[in-house]
C-alpha cells in the first residue's frame, strides 16, 4: 500500500511511499501520522504502530492490541535513572543522573496511556485507568506542563502522569 505525503501549503504530492507491510488495509485505517526528522510514525485504528523512513523501509512495528483513535502526541521528557546510577552522595542526599528521552510517542487507548520509544518501539511506561470495559474509543486529548502529562481518555476520564518519576499523579485535576 502507498502512503502519500503532500505539501500542506499547496496540497501538491511530494512523495508516494510504497510500504511493504503485512497490514490488511481493507480492515483498518490510519488514525494519525507524525514525523520526527526523516522517520514517520503511523498509528492504525486496531493498535498497530509503524515506523518507516522516506524510502518506505519499515524500521519497526508494534501491535498494542488495543484500539487507537486519538492522534499521536510527540512529547519530550526527562527521567531519573534508577538509584544504582547514583553519581555521588553528598551528606544524606544522593545526586541522581537524569536521562533525557526525547520525542516519545504517547498513545491513548480506551483505558490506557502509553509512552513508546520512537527509536525502537519499546514501551517506556503504560498506565491503565478504570476497568477493561471501554465505553468510548474515540477522542481524548493530551497536553503537558513541564514534566506532567495531563490527559483526557477517550471515555472522558481525566488523569496525570509525572514523567520524571514514571507514576500516576494524584491532584485535584485528576480523577485517579
Amino acid at each position: 500500500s502507498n502512503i502519500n505525503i503532500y505539501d500542506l501549503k499547496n496540497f501538491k504530492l511530494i512523495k508516494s511511499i510504497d510500504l511493504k507491510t503485512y497490514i490488511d488495509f481493507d480492515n483498518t485505517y490510519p488514525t494519525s501520522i507524525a514525523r520526527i526528522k526523516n522517520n514517520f510514525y503511523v498509528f492504525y485504528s486496531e493498535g498497530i504502530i509503524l515506523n518507516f523512513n522516506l524510502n518506505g523501509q519499515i524500521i519497526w512495528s508494534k501491535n498494542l492490541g488495543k484500539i487507537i483513535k486519538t492522534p499521536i502526541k510527540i512529547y519530550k521528557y526527562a527521567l531519573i535513572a534508577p538509584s544504582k546510577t547514583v553519581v555521588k552522595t553528598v551528606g544524606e542526599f544522593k545526586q541522581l543522573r537524569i536521562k533525557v528521552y526525547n520525542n516519545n510517542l504517547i498513545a491513548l487507548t480506551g483505558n490506557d496511556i502509553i509512552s513508546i520509544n520512537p527509536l525502537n518501539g519499546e514501551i517506556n511506561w503504560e498506565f491503565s485507568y478504570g476497568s477493561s470495559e471501554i465505553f468510548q474509543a474515540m477522542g481524548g486529548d493530551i497536553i503537558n506542563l513541564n514534566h506532567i502529562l495531563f490527559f483526557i481518555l477517550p471515555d472522558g476520564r481525566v488523569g496525570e502522569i509525572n514523567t520524571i518519576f514514571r507514576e500516576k499523579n494524584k491532584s485535584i485535576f485528576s480523577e485517579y
Side-chain angles (χ1 to χ4, degrees):
S1 78
N2 287 341
I3 298 280
N4 294 325
I5 301 170
Y6 293 91
D7 184 327
L8 293 178
K9 292 179 183 173
N10 58 24
F11 300 105
K12 290 186 178 178
L13 180 65
I14 296 172
K15 188 169 191 167
S16 183
I17 300 171
D18 182 22
L19 289 179
K20 309 281 191 259
T21 182
Y22 58 90
I23 296 176
D24 177 9
F25 288 99
D26 292 333
N27 296 316
T28 190
Y29 59 91
T31 57
S32 64
I33 186 167
R35 180 179 178 183
I36 301 174
K37 297 184 181 176
N38 289 326
N39 287 314
F40 292 86
Y41 303 88
V42 181
F43 282 26
Y44 287 92
S45 57
E46 83 286 349
I48 294 175
I49 303 169
L50 278 184
N51 168 224
F52 62 92
N53 62 22
L54 286 171
N55 298 322
Q57 176 189 6
I58 296 175
I59 310 299
W60 57 261
S61 67
K62 182 154 203 83
N63 188 345
L64 297 176
K66 300 173 183 185
I67 297 170
I68 301 175
K69 302 284 181 158
T70 305
I72 299 170
K73 169 79 173 175
I74 298 174
Y75 173 65
K76 294 182 181 183
Y77 73 98
L79 173 67
I80 296 176
S83 60
K84 63 183 176 185
T85 60
V86 171
V87 177
K88 63 181 178 177
T89 303
V90 179
E92 298 177 43
F93 302 100
K94 296 179 180 178
Q95 293 182 350
L96 300 177
R97 180 173 296 138
I98 294 180
K99 187 173 184 179
V100 176
Y101 292 94
N102 287 322
N103 298 327
N104 283 270
L105 307 173
I106 305 295
L108 290 179
T109 66
N111 291 325
D112 304 309
I113 181 168
I114 305 166
S115 171
I116 302 154
N117 184 328
L119 300 176
N120 56 23
E122 291 180 8
I123 294 177
N124 296 318
W125 48 259
E126 177 177 5
F127 293 103
S128 292
Y129 286 82
S131 67
S132 60
E133 187 175 331
I134 299 172
F135 299 109
Q136 171 75 1
M138 296 186 76
D141 197 13
I142 308 167
I143 60 169
N144 66 287
L145 178 63
N146 299 322
H147 64 283
I148 305 292
L149 278 180
F150 299 93
F151 59 91
I152 301 171
L153 289 170
D155 66 5
R157 289 178 283 174
V158 178
E160 299 174 31
I161 302 291
N162 181 324
T163 59
I164 291 177
F165 295 109
R166 298 175 81 168
E167 62 186 24
K168 292 180 182 180
N169 216 26
K170 295 179 184 175
S171 76
I172 60 171
F173 303 109
S174 175
E175 295 180 17
Y176 300 95

